[in-house]
Amino acid sequence: MLQLRPNCECCNRDLPPDSGQALICSFECTFCVDCGTQALQMRCPNCSGELLQRPRRPAAMLVQYPASTERVLKQGGCAKTA
């Protein structure tokens, strides 16, 4: 089950579980759309995997299966790769 991490690993922007602005790789590294498209060019800086829109968990299911509260942040943010 996806962790639904609460923030962008680059800029620390809040990404609530219902956000359409969250991108993830296959390892669930989480980034906002701005960082993912501009700085990362849709590639995860941790594993080089592609970044895709994170699915949203229905609100009723969040009660039983809550999103993660653990914030993950890359030290120094994400350097622009362009």
Side-chain angles (χ1 to χ4, degrees), residues 15-80:
L15 295 169
D18 62 348
S19 175
Q21 298 297 304
L23 301 172
I24 60 170
C25 71
S26 64
F27 290 96
E28 297 184 54
C29 301
T30 304
F31 305 95
C32 69
V33 169
D34 291 339
C35 289
T37 57
Q38 295 170 20
L40 304 176
Q41 298 179 0
M42 299 302 285
R43 287 283 164 200
C44 177
N46 303 320
C47 70
S48 299
E50 67 181 325
L51 295 175
L52 301 171
Q53 185 174 20
R54 180 179 74 186
R56 287 169 266 195
R57 188 168 297 152
M61 295 304 288
L62 281 169
V63 173
Q64 186 174 0
Y65 303 102
S68 175
T69 58
E70 179 184 351
R71 296 182 82 83
V72 176
L73 187 61
K74 289 183 68 57
Q75 186 174 357
C78 296
K80 194 169 182 101

